[in-house]
Amino acid sequence: MLVLKKVTNNGFIYTFGALGGLLFGYDIASVSGAILFIEKQLHLGPWEQGWVVSSVLIGAIIGALATSKFLDTYGRRKLLIWASVIFFIGAITSGFAPNFEILVGTRVVLGIGVGITSALIPAYLHELAPKSMHGAVATMFQLMIMIGILLAYILNYTFAHMYTGWRWMLGFAALPAFILFVGALFLPESPRFLVKIGKLDEAREVLMDTNKHDTKAVDTALGEIEETAKQPVGGWKELFGKGVRPALITGLGVAIFQQVIGSNSVIFYAPTIFTDVGWGVIAALLAHIGIGVVNVIVTVVAMLLMDKVDRKKMLEFGAAGMGLSLIVMYTVLKFDNGSHTAAIVSALALTVYIAFYATTWAPVTWVLIGEVFPLNIRGLGTSLCSATNWLADMVVSLTFPMMLSSWGLDNAFLFYAVICGIAIWVCHSKFLETRGKSLEEIELDLHKAAGTETTN
């Protein structure tokens, strides 16, 4: 049997490990432009449009929930390979879908790949990165998401002039899926999974390479991993037990608030929002590209800040900025709707809103979900939080068009501004702070807080 040599160069690991984020971002954003053309060619009503947009989220919930079982049984690397294959199949078939029903079905398949990567990659990157780089490396996943979103916006505009352009918009994701598949063949397994299955020598080799052959750091990390790996694999009872409750509140809290503050509604429906305030379709798609560029730039800023600023402070600052941007949009649309000035100010405020989101809630959510749970239930915890994130995303995406039609765009923005205020309070009073701690130190803190720490 052919055995491929694993590449343990940090740049290779982090780039290809996070590449699933590019697919994730591309697939959730490409439909935002494609739907403008799909609705006309497939003659879809508002409810059917909502299902085309949201069907990927149904698959994401399934994929995220299934991840916990496979993550702890087959390991991180194999699951990443499977996810890339699912991505490839879903992308190709959605590009060729002849009708509404098949399009929804193929996008559910695509969503399974999205759900697997959302639950898998944050944990995988955390387990490979030294603790001093946890935040920055995990934020690479979000950077790839934003690059994927920008790529989708650019290709949406590029293919907008073709009658079958929407098929190219959806099908193009097969190319990065193939690249991810090839890269994943050469990625190393997580050292924590290797310790768990008794391959200590392999785990040490991976740690030596990812820690720049710092023997002291590797010995410390390996000792901590071995200690936590002795714990029996936990289930739902342990996940909802007293000792893990602060982690669960933090993980589920960021997963839900990341969506109900309205962020992905803007990503999915930004072209629709731009056309509603008076922009043409092509102008709306161009404005979308501008937002995508801002997203990528501010996510790089987030990478630089992630291990220097507390996670909670970043979330609170982000929610405050988003809330103020939403209030500006509400005020302009309420008292000056329809004018050219209103359209410009709304677009600028929308861009600022997304910039605050991309710098804070977008990356910090996945950082916290990837690092806050103990090893023996990490797969289950990350899967539950990812599935909850996608469920919240689906609810918001399905209700946003109805909210627009019944409340109006201005009142919808005001509603999300109120949610931002609630998010600040919950974050300040309920969430855990994890910056600067190893995964094992975070776990030890949980046990101490619950009075369940073990003694050697």
Side-chain angles (χ1 to χ4, degrees):
M1 184 178 71
L2 178 64
V3 178
L4 297 173
K5 180 176 174 58
K6 301 300 179 288
V7 179
T8 51
N9 172 273
N10 281 359
F12 181 90
I13 292 172
Y14 302 149
T15 300
F16 276 91
L19 186 59
L22 185 145
L23 284 162
F24 175 166
Y26 184 87
D27 288 323
I28 63 173
S30 59
V31 73
S32 64
I35 195 66
L36 298 173
F37 306 97
I38 294 171
E39 63 168 306
K40 293 182 176 65
Q41 291 184 28
L42 298 186
H43 311 291
L44 305 183
W47 183 248
E48 291 170 315
Q49 291 176 48
W51 274 109
V52 169
V53 171
S54 303
S55 53
V56 72
L57 305 177
I58 298 172
I61 294 169
I62 296 169
L65 286 175
T67 298
S68 65
K69 176 66 175 176
F70 296 116
L71 193 69
D72 293 328
T73 304
Y74 299 103
R76 285 59 166 155
R77 177 178 161 273
K78 283 184 180 178
L79 198 55
L80 191 59
I81 293 172
W82 295 349
S84 66
V85 172
I86 294 170
F87 263 124
F88 184 86
I89 294 170
I92 288 289
T93 53
S94 62
F96 284 102
N99 55 44
F100 164 73
E101 290 79 12
I102 293 178
L103 180 59
V104 168
T106 56
R107 284 186 57 74
V108 169
V109 172
L110 194 65
I112 292 173
V114 171
I116 292 172
T117 53
S118 69
L120 163 65
I121 291 176
Y124 178 68
L125 293 177
H126 266 100
E127 292 179 357
L128 282 166
K131 73 176 181 180
S132 62
M133 296 175 61
H134 273 174
V137 170
T139 305
M140 280 192 69
F141 177 59
Q142 185 62 36
L143 177 62
M144 285 291 194
I145 292 175
M146 291 306 176
I147 292 173
I149 290 172
L150 175 59
L151 180 63
Y153 291 167
I154 293 171
L155 290 176
N156 283 352
Y157 175 75
T158 302
F159 295 130
H161 303 87
M162 298 170 56
Y163 180 74
T164 57
W166 67 267
R167 297 187 181 279
W168 289 92
M169 294 174 192
L170 299 184
F172 183 85
L175 178 59
F178 177 73
I179 295 172
L180 174 62
F181 172 78
V182 174
L185 294 175
F186 296 91
L187 286 173
E189 183 52 84
S190 156
R192 285 165 177 83
F193 181 74
L194 290 171
V195 169
K196 187 177 174 182
I197 61 175
K199 297 184 177 181
L200 296 181
D201 290 340
E202 285 187 40
R204 176 176 285 278
E205 285 179 21
V206 175
L207 285 169
M208 286 294 284
D209 288 329
T210 55
N211 285 272
K212 299 180 179 178
H213 296 275
D214 183 340
T215 305
K216 183 178 179 181
V218 169
D219 289 341
T220 301
L222 197 59
E224 291 176 342
I225 293 169
E226 286 184 84
E227 189 61 35
T228 54
K230 291 176 184 176
Q231 300 178 30
V233 175
W236 293 104
K237 180 180 177 181
E238 288 76 16
L239 181 62
F240 287 95
K242 178 184 176 184
V244 184
R245 196 166 299 154
L248 192 63
I249 290 171
T250 302
L252 289 177
V254 290
I256 293 170
F257 275 114
Q258 190 201 50
Q259 298 303 329
V260 298
I261 50 182
S263 52
N264 274 357
S265 294
V266 175
I267 291 174
F268 285 150
Y269 294 102
T272 304
I273 292 170
F274 282 132
T275 55
D276 282 352
V277 297
W279 295 52
V281 171
I282 298 301
L285 291 175
L286 276 173
H288 223 181
I289 293 174
I291 287 178
V293 172
V294 171
N295 272 342
V296 172
I297 293 171
V298 298
T299 304
V300 173
V301 173
M303 284 184 67
L304 298 175
L305 292 175
M306 191 61 67
D307 292 307
K308 296 180 176 65
V309 181
D310 286 352
R311 319 287 197 231
K312 289 173 63 171
K313 287 181 180 177
M314 290 183 71
L315 293 177
E316 291 163 13
F317 176 74
M322 292 168 71
L324 290 173
S325 301
L326 288 164
I327 290 171
V328 169
M329 285 189 279
Y330 164 78
T331 304
V332 170
L333 292 172
K334 189 74 173 178
F335 300 106
D336 191 25
N337 195 11
S339 72
H340 180 69
T341 301
I344 296 296
V345 173
S346 294
L348 289 174
L350 201 62
T351 304
V352 172
Y353 163 86
I354 295 178
F356 272 105
Y357 168 74
T359 315
T360 58
W361 281 87
V364 175
T365 292
W366 299 111
V367 170
L368 282 172
I369 288 174
E371 69 187 6
V372 79
F373 290 101
L375 177 64
N376 69 324
I377 53 167
R378 186 166 298 142
L380 194 61
T382 55
S383 294
L384 177 64
C385 290
S386 297
T388 302
N389 182 268
W390 292 115
L391 179 61
D393 193 353
M394 188 173 74
V395 170
V396 171
S397 299
L398 283 173
T399 56
F400 187 67
M402 290 180 279
M403 191 185 297
L404 282 181
S405 62
S406 59
W407 290 7
L409 191 57
D410 53 352
N411 289 322
F413 286 152
L414 182 62
F415 171 78
Y416 287 136
V418 172
I419 299 296
C420 286
I422 296 172
I424 292 171
W425 177 81
V426 173
C427 175
H428 183 75
S429 59
K430 303 294 182 182
F431 289 179
L432 292 175
E433 181 53 60
T434 58
R435 182 175 70 92
K437 299 176 182 178
S438 70
L439 299 177
E440 288 68 35
E441 287 168 343
I442 294 168
E443 182 170 347
L444 184 61
D445 287 347
L446 280 173
H447 290 310
K448 286 180 178 177
T452 59
E453 69 267 32
T454 58
T455 56
N456 295 323

